[in-house]
Amino acid sequence: MTKPGAVAGDSGRVGGPGALSGAGPVLRVEDMSVSLGGHRVLDEVTFSIEPGEFCGLIGSNGAGKTTLLRVILGLTAPSRGRVMVTGGTRSRRDPQIGYVPQKINLEPDMPLRARDLVGLGLDGHRFGIPGRSAARRGAVEAMLEAVGASRFADARVGTLSGGEQQRVMIAQALICRPKLLLLDEPLANLDIGSAAEVVGLLSRIAVEQRISILLSAHDMNPLLPAMDRVVYLAGGRAVSGTTDQVVRTDTLSRLYGHHVEVIHVEGRVLIVSGAENQAHHVGDVDPLPREV
């Protein structure tokens, strides 16, 4: 059994709920390291996500979150270790994985409706004019409804609010019915209310559609109501488990390599770094070089 506070190099995992008893993990990352430009970005990272689990990928800027997502997507090759999706090695364009990127630049005058963008999730990778079949239209309408975007389906995507754009991007990523949904900092530019709506939407999708979710963020607090599991990155190393198992003084002190104090204040979590003698929101401790 993995000891509490284990970091990468042990199993990297300190337990977890296991969304479906007896079912194999949707995602398993095993002893995975990545070196870029001679710099070790990730160091023997190991964790797994079960079917239907909502998992937060937490770490400060430069901790390696985006690099980890790129490895899972097959866009960056690991120096060692492997990534398994539903028990097998994943391909570079794996239909079992949906992805919502970090930065979305949508000009207000772009002649693209929300429903058009969602439909590109079905056939945007093909050459030629998208199909107009009843089945395609039905799939787009169903997904717009599932994410609560039907009311602005005919609006130009560039004119939508940040929260509305996130709903459309989530619909696009989900329309091919993946087993795993990856989201890179989807809450970064949202206000508190919009962030809560997006987290609530994703939590419902995970439960209703049994889709596993891995969402990266530097602040854990907006995710607390929804998370089944957390993967916490610092200095290229990782520890995973439930929030209660990971976000604690002994575990994070071992991960960061110096003493940090975890403080719970009115339903929020803060970390006080002994090295800096400052309080931060979770994930903002021990700034690292800019993320690759």
Side-chain angles (χ1 to χ4, degrees):
M1 179 178 295
T2 305
K3 62 183 180 297
V7 295
D10 297 308
S11 74
R13 182 170 177 171
V14 292
L20 291 179
S21 178
V26 168
L27 172 68
R28 180 161 183 80
V29 176
E30 296 182 346
D31 296 324
M32 194 265 290
S33 298
V34 177
S35 295
L36 298 174
H39 172 63
R40 180 65 66 90
V41 180
L42 296 172
D43 187 14
E44 297 184 352
V45 173
T46 293
F47 67 94
S48 62
I49 303 176
E50 302 296 326
E53 277 193 329
F54 189 120
C55 179
L57 175 60
I58 307 301
S60 59
N61 293 333
K65 302 188 299 297
T66 296
T67 299
L68 176 56
L69 294 180
R70 287 181 58 85
V71 172
I72 296 171
L73 288 166
L75 301 176
T76 296
S79 305
R80 59 166 292 179
R82 62 177 181 169
V83 175
M84 309 285 287
V85 177
T86 64
T89 56
R90 50 93 183 93
S91 60
R92 178 163 181 164
R93 184 176 288 164
D94 195 329
Q96 299 182 102
I97 304 175
Y99 175 58
V100 178
Q102 180 176 6
K103 295 180 180 179
I104 308 171
N105 296 316
L106 301 171
E107 296 296 329
D109 58 351
M110 180 183 297
L112 189 69
R113 300 172 301 173
R115 68 170 71 254
D116 300 327
L117 187 58
V118 173
L120 291 177
L122 286 172
D123 45 34
H125 60 287
R126 302 172 187 166
F127 290 106
I129 299 173
R132 302 295 182 185
S133 69
R136 183 184 188 275
R137 289 194 300 271
V140 170
E141 294 298 331
M143 192 51 62
L144 287 165
E145 177 68 25
V147 301
S150 296
R151 69 185 184 277
F152 47 83
D154 291 313
R156 291 191 177 191
V157 289
T159 66
L160 300 177
S161 68
E164 290 170 341
Q165 288 183 355
Q166 282 294 348
R167 287 176 183 267
V168 174
M169 295 301 297
I170 291 168
Q172 184 195 63
L174 291 176
I175 197 166
C176 286
R177 304 291 180 180
K179 305 283 188 189
L180 172 67
L181 177 62
L182 308 178
L183 302 101
D184 191 359
E185 296 276 4
L187 311 181
N189 298 313
L190 301 184
D191 57 43
I192 294 175
S194 296
E197 289 180 0
V198 169
V199 170
L201 168 65
L202 292 169
S203 178
R204 176 172 58 80
I205 287 171
V207 172
E208 293 179 354
Q209 301 188 26
R210 307 306 299 168
I211 293 174
S212 303
I213 291 174
L214 180 61
L215 185 157
S216 75
H218 69 273
D219 182 4
M220 178 186 301
N221 285 294
L223 308 182
L224 290 176
M227 279 195 308
D228 300 303
R229 176 175 304 281
V230 57
V231 176
Y232 204 116
L233 286 175
R237 300 186 302 161
V239 61
S240 73
T242 65
T243 304
D244 289 342
Q245 292 168 329
V246 171
V247 188
R248 42 187 286 173
T249 295
D250 57 346
T251 301
L252 293 186
S253 293
R254 185 175 297 130
L255 181 64
Y256 277 102
H258 59 77
H259 181 73
V260 298
E261 192 74 29
V262 176
I263 302 174
H264 297 264
V265 181
E266 297 183 353
R268 296 181 64 82
V269 181
L270 302 176
I271 292 177
V272 178
S273 172
E276 300 174 2
N277 195 29
Q278 295 180 0
H280 303 263
H281 293 304
V282 172
D284 288 339
V285 183
D286 192 21
L288 297 169
R290 184 176 179 180
E291 187 158 286
V292 182

